[in-house]
Amino acid sequence: MKTLAAQVITQEDLLKHWQGHRALTRHVIEAFPEKDFFEFSIGGMRTFSQLADELLAIAAPALKSIVNRDSQPYKEGEEKLIFKAQYLEKWDESTKEINQYWEKLTIEDFNENFNLFGQYEFPIIQNILYFIDNEVHHRGQGYVYLRALGIEPPFFWER
């Protein structure tokens, strides 16, 4: 018999928290001028379009792998997107996929180990928290880029 750990946040609230971050990152994508989204960087860091490629390659595909218990290798940028509008469309599709796969998780799943991308074996909750942390980290880079371009980024609390 499995025992459950004490719950601090509900499964529904965790999804809401994650989707709030995703909504804010979408606003950051929207704030970039088209050219700068693909070309601007600072100090040799990746462009925000490249960071968005990473975020798209992680969120929905990794959650799908978790739900199906089918560890797939990490695949980034297989589909070459050339317009910011394509990124926004893919972002919205990814958000819907996350919601669909999330419904298939049970509370017991969160404590099970999963080998994410065949590289990192951690409890599923840790994988999900990694998805959120990674997005926040890269969105912070986007904020720096926007400020360097003289563009006021979205308020971080407006999720």
Side-chain angles (χ1 to χ4, degrees):
M1 172 181 265
K2 290 186 180 182
T3 59
L4 299 178
Q7 187 172 336
V8 175
I9 185 172
T10 67
Q11 188 172 338
E12 294 79 19
D13 285 342
L14 180 56
L15 177 61
K16 184 178 176 181
H17 177 77
W18 186 10
Q19 292 295 20
H21 280 291
R22 290 185 55 77
L24 183 54
T25 302
R26 189 185 196 287
H27 293 313
V28 171
I29 294 170
E30 290 173 322
F32 270 88
E34 185 85 17
K35 182 177 185 293
D36 294 321
F37 180 69
F38 292 97
E39 296 179 8
F40 187 81
S41 71
I42 296 173
M45 292 190 294
R46 293 177 285 169
T47 65
F48 203 66
S49 67
Q50 291 170 316
L51 298 175
D53 282 334
E54 178 185 316
L55 297 174
L56 287 168
I58 291 175
L63 189 59
K64 177 182 179 182
S65 290
I66 287 170
V67 167
N68 293 329
R69 299 304 194 274
D70 180 24
S71 184
Q72 295 292 316
Y74 177 75
K75 300 174 192 167
E76 181 180 323
E78 289 187 326
E79 185 176 1
K80 187 66 178 153
L81 306 177
I82 58 172
F83 298 106
K84 189 172 74 167
Q86 292 173 301
Y87 278 86
L88 293 169
E89 183 179 326
K90 289 291 179 190
W91 197 263
D92 294 342
E93 289 171 10
S94 179
T95 297
K96 289 177 186 172
E97 281 184 69
I98 289 167
N99 289 337
Q100 291 168 354
Y101 288 112
W102 193 266
E103 290 178 14
K104 297 177 182 182
L105 288 173
T106 67
I107 194 71
E108 293 85 6
D109 290 331
F110 287 89
N111 288 320
E112 288 184 22
N113 281 349
F114 181 74
N115 191 339
L116 184 63
F117 302 124
Q119 299 176 12
Y120 312 105
E121 182 145 345
F122 293 105
I124 288 170
I125 185 63
Q126 294 301 319
N127 287 314
I128 292 168
L129 293 173
Y130 161 76
F131 305 158
I132 298 167
D133 292 346
N134 187 55
E135 182 173 331
V136 170
H137 162 71
H138 288 315
R139 187 174 63 237
Q141 290 175 269
Y143 273 60
V144 171
Y145 290 177
L146 289 173
R147 290 206 183 274
L149 291 166
I151 299 168
E152 180 75 23
F155 296 119
F156 73 90
W157 58 84
E158 291 183 352
R159 301 188 281 135

Coordinates of all heavy atoms in Angstrom, one line a residue, residues 34-35 37-38 49 53 79-87 90:
E34 N 9.9 41.5 -33.5 CA 10.1 40.3 -34.3 C 11.6 40.0 -34.5 O 12.1 38.9 -34.3 CB 9.4 40.4 -35.7 CG 9.5 39.2 -36.5 CD 8.4 38.1 -36.2 OE1 7.4 38.5 -35.6 OE2 8.6 37.0 -36.7
K35 N 12.4 41.0 -35.1 CA 13.8 40.8 -35.4 C 14.6 40.4 -34.1 O 15.4 39.5 -34.1 CB 14.3 42.0 -36.0 CG 15.8 42.0 -36.5 CD 16.2 43.3 -37.2 CE 17.5 43.3 -37.7 NZ 18.6 43.2 -36.8
F37 N 13.6 39.1 -31.3 CA 13.2 37.8 -30.8 C 14.2 36.8 -31.3 O 14.6 35.8 -30.6 CB 11.8 37.5 -31.1 CG 11.3 36.2 -30.6 CD1 11.1 36.0 -29.3 CD2 11.0 35.2 -31.5 CE1 10.6 34.8 -28.8 CE2 10.5 34.0 -31.0 CZ 10.3 33.7 -29.7
F38 N 14.6 36.9 -32.6 CA 15.4 35.9 -33.2 C 16.9 36.3 -33.2 O 17.7 35.4 -33.4 CB 15.0 35.7 -34.7 CG 13.7 35.1 -34.8 CD1 12.5 35.8 -35.0 CD2 13.5 33.7 -34.7 CE1 11.3 35.2 -35.1 CE2 12.3 33.1 -34.8 CZ 11.2 33.8 -35.0
S49 N 14.3 33.4 -28.8 CA 13.7 32.4 -29.6 C 14.3 31.0 -29.3 O 13.6 30.0 -29.3 CB 13.7 32.7 -31.1 OG 15.0 32.7 -31.6
D53 N 12.5 27.8 -27.8 CA 12.7 26.4 -28.3 C 12.9 25.4 -27.2 O 12.2 24.4 -27.2 CB 13.8 26.3 -29.3 CG 13.6 26.9 -30.7 OD1 12.4 27.0 -31.1 OD2 14.5 27.4 -31.3
E79 N 11.4 21.3 -35.2 CA 10.5 22.1 -36.2 C 11.1 23.5 -36.2 O 11.1 24.2 -35.2 CB 9.1 22.1 -35.7 CG 8.1 22.7 -36.6 CD 6.7 22.6 -36.1 OE1 6.4 22.1 -35.1 OE2 5.8 23.1 -36.8
K80 N 11.5 23.9 -37.3 CA 12.1 25.3 -37.5 C 11.0 26.3 -37.6 O 10.4 26.4 -38.6 CB 13.1 25.3 -38.7 CG 13.9 26.6 -38.8 CD 14.8 26.7 -37.6 CE 15.6 28.0 -37.8 NZ 16.1 28.5 -36.6
L81 N 10.9 27.1 -36.5 CA 9.9 28.2 -36.5 C 10.6 29.5 -37.0 O 11.7 29.7 -36.5 CB 9.3 28.3 -35.2 CG 8.7 27.1 -34.6 CD1 8.1 27.3 -33.2 CD2 7.5 26.5 -35.4
I82 N 10.0 30.2 -37.8 CA 10.7 31.4 -38.4 C 10.0 32.7 -38.1 O 10.5 33.8 -38.4 CB 11.0 31.3 -39.9 CG1 9.7 31.1 -40.7 CG2 12.0 30.1 -40.1 CD1 9.8 31.1 -42.2
F83 N 8.8 32.6 -37.5 CA 8.1 33.8 -37.1 C 7.6 33.8 -35.7 O 7.3 32.7 -35.2 CB 6.8 34.0 -38.0 CG 7.1 34.2 -39.4 CD1 6.8 33.1 -40.3 CD2 7.6 35.4 -40.0 CE1 7.1 33.3 -41.7 CE2 7.9 35.5 -41.3 CZ 7.6 34.5 -42.2
K84 N 7.6 34.9 -35.0 CA 7.2 35.0 -33.6 C 5.8 34.4 -33.5 O 5.5 33.7 -32.5 CB 7.3 36.4 -33.1 CG 7.1 36.5 -31.6 CD 7.4 37.9 -31.1 CE 6.3 38.9 -31.5 NZ 6.4 40.1 -30.8
A85 N 4.9 34.7 -34.4 CA 3.5 34.2 -34.4 C 3.5 32.7 -34.3 O 2.6 32.1 -33.6 CB 2.7 34.7 -35.6
Q86 N 4.4 32.0 -34.9 CA 4.5 30.6 -34.9 C 4.8 30.1 -33.5 O 4.3 29.1 -33.0 CB 5.5 30.0 -35.8 CG 5.1 30.2 -37.3 CD 6.3 29.8 -38.2 OE1 7.4 30.4 -38.1 NE2 6.0 28.8 -39.1
Y87 N 5.7 30.8 -32.8 CA 6.0 30.5 -31.4 C 4.8 30.7 -30.5 O 4.6 29.8 -29.6 CB 7.2 31.3 -30.9 CG 8.5 30.8 -31.3 CD1 9.1 31.2 -32.6 CD2 9.3 30.0 -30.5 CE1 10.3 30.7 -33.0 CE2 10.5 29.5 -30.9 CZ 11.0 29.9 -32.1 OH 12.2 29.4 -32.5
K90 N 2.5 27.8 -31.1 CA 3.0 26.5 -30.5 C 2.9 26.6 -29.0 O 2.6 25.6 -28.3 CB 4.5 26.3 -30.9 CG 4.7 25.9 -32.3 CD 4.1 24.5 -32.6 CE 4.2 24.1 -34.0 NZ 3.5 22.9 -34.3

